[in-house]
Amino acid sequence: MPKKPAVYDLSLSDWETLLARWGQPRYRAKQVWSWLYRKLVTSPAQMTSLPKALRQQLEDGVRWYIPRVLAQQESMDGETRKDLLAMEDGEQVEVVLMRYIERRSACISTQVGCAMGCKFCATGQMGFRRNLTAGEIVAQVLHVARELQSQGQKLTNVVLMGMGEPLLNYKHTLAAVRRLIHPDGFQMGQRRITLSTSGIAPQIYRLADEGLQINLAVSLHAATDDLRNELMPINRKYNLNALFSAVQQYINVTNRRVTFEWIMIDGVNDTREQAEALAARLGGMLAHVNLIPMNPTTNYAGRPSTPEAIAEFTKVLERRHIPYTTRLRRGLDINAGCGQLRSAYQGE
Ligand code: SAH
Ligand code: SF4
C-alpha cells in the first residue's frame, strides 16, 4: 500500500485528485484547503462544513502530523519567541516569531542542519541532516500563525532565514512559497516573503525566472574573495563575481531591491578595507545592506564588532551613498541566532 500523504505536502490540485478518487465533488478541495490555510485547523474533526463520513475518510487517508514543540524560549522583552519543533521522524528545526511595531514575522527553516559550513554559524557547525519537505516548511509558518491567531493577531511576514540553505532545497522551498501565497489559501503577500541565501549562483538565476515578487537576501559577510572563502566555503564554488552577476540578473528580471546581509565580526570583516570593497561592489546597484551584530557561537572564536568599528564602517557606506540599516539583533538573550536553540537543547 502506498504511504499516506502528509497533510501539508498536498497542493490544491493534489487535493482535487485525492478527493475525486474518493468520489467527492470538485468544490470539496477548496473547502478543505480553506479549513487548512485560512481557518488553520489541525484536524478533520474541526472541519464542520464537511459531511461526517468525509471527515472520517480524511482522518484515515491522510497523515495529520502537526509539529510538536520540544523547547521554547522567550526574550526578556517578550518580543521574540523561539520554538524548537519536532518533525514526524523526530528531526528538530527552529522557528522564531519576531514582533515589531507593525509586523509579526516568522523566521523558518528549510533544512535540518546545513552543508554550507559557514564558520560563524551554529547551523553550519552541526552539518547537514536532511531537507525538509514543502509540507514541513509550510507547517512551521502555520504553527506561528496559529499562535498569533490565538492572540487575535495575524502573521504579516515570512523570512526563510532559519536553519538551512533554501536554494539547495529548491523544489520544496518553492513549493512551500507557492503554497503560502495561494489566493484561496494562506494569502501571504509575495512582497512579505524573504528568502535568504548564502549565494548559490545558478539557483539565483533560476529563482529570477519563477515569475515571483519575493524578496531576495544574500548573506555576503565579506567583499573580497580571500576573506569570503575563509568565512563561507561556498565562495570557492561561486565567487563574488559569479554571485554578483546572478544577483544583478535577479534585480534586472524582478526589479526588486536585494538585501545584502553582513554580520559584523570584530577585526574580521568590520575593517575599512572591507567597507570600501563592499561599497565598490554595490555602487549603482538596486541594493541595501543590513548590518547585523554577530551572535557568538560555541565553535567560532569571532566576537561582535565594537560600536566604534560599526560607526567607522557605516561612515564609509554613507560617503559612498550605499543604503544600509543597522539591524537590531532580535532575541540575543534567547540565542535567537540560527541553529542555536537546537544546539543548546542537544547540549552540543
Ligand atoms: N542559509 C541561508 C539562510 C539561513 S542563515 C543564508 O545563509 O542566508 C540566516 C542568516 O543568519 C544569514 O544571513 C546568516 O549569515 C546569519 N547568521 C548565521 N550565523 C550567525 C551568527 N552567528 N550571528 C549572526 N547572524 C548569523
Ligand atoms: Fe548554512 Fe546559512 Fe548557516 Fe551558512 S549561514 S551554514 S548557509 S544556514
Side-chain angles (χ1 to χ4, degrees), residues 63-219:
R63 266 157 51 230
W64 287 87
Y65 183 77
I66 308 294
R68 216 157 38 84
V69 180
L70 291 178
Q72 219 165 39
Q73 287 182 336
E74 194 153 317
S75 63
M76 255 131 49
D77 59 12
E79 302 286 279
T80 306
R81 245 279 296 283
K82 179 159 171 165
D83 292 345
L84 184 67
L85 299 181
M87 297 294 151
E88 208 171 356
D89 64 353
E91 285 291 2
Q92 301 160 11
V93 300
E94 296 181 356
V95 52
V96 182
L97 162 64
M98 291 165 287
R99 297 172 207 261
Y100 303 87
I101 299 156
E102 308 239 304
R103 267 189 302 159
R104 284 161 303 277
S105 300
C107 174
I108 59 166
S109 300
T110 54
Q111 297 181 317
V112 186
C114 182
M116 298 293 89
C118 302
K119 291 284 176 305
F120 45 80
C121 174
T123 307
Q125 290 159 11
M126 111 191 21
F128 176 71
R129 296 181 61 90
R130 73 168 172 84
N131 279 330
L132 294 176
T133 67
E136 287 171 327
I137 298 170
V138 167
Q140 296 169 62
V141 177
L142 299 183
H143 167 80
V144 176
R146 264 183 226 116
E147 150 110 13
L148 286 168
Q149 184 191 43
S150 71
Q151 299 160 13
Q153 293 182 321
K154 272 194 92 144
L155 182 68
T156 62
N157 295 72
V158 170
V159 294
L160 301 162
M161 269 192 200
M163 295 163 69
E165 171 45 59
L167 295 186
L168 287 185
N169 184 15
Y170 192 92
K171 201 175 116 206
H172 293 154
T173 298
L174 264 286
V177 167
R178 292 194 189 283
R179 190 90 24 97
L180 294 174
I181 65 175
H182 198 287
D184 299 316
F186 196 68
Q187 297 180 348
M188 177 62 67
Q190 297 197 32
R191 288 157 189 253
R192 293 175 171 276
I193 299 179
T194 300
L195 183 151
S196 176
T197 179
S198 57
I200 317 294
Q203 306 293 61
I204 294 175
Y205 287 103
R206 192 170 160 198
L207 186 66
D209 289 333
E210 294 282 349
L212 291 171
Q213 282 287 300
I214 62 173
N215 303 302
L216 179 66
V218 176
S219 299

Side-chain angles (χ1 to χ4, degrees), residues 120-122 160-162 164-166 196-198 219 221 261 263 292-295 297 329 338 340:
F120 45 80
C121 174
L160 301 162
M161 269 192 200
E165 171 45 59
S196 176
T197 179
S198 57
S219 299
H221 310 321
E261 308 274 344
I263 61 171
I292 308 159
M294 84 155 277
N295 262 322
T297 53
R329 178 41 112 190
C338 99
Q340 293 188 352

Side-chain angles (χ1 to χ4, degrees), residues 219-244:
S219 299
L220 195 61
H221 310 321
T224 55
D225 280 320
D226 276 357
L227 180 59
R228 200 162 188 269
N229 285 345
E230 203 183 296
L231 293 175
M232 304 180 70
I234 188 63
N235 197 72
R236 295 177 205 149
K237 195 159 181 192
Y238 308 113
N239 66 15
L240 287 169
N241 283 345
L243 174 57
F244 274 86

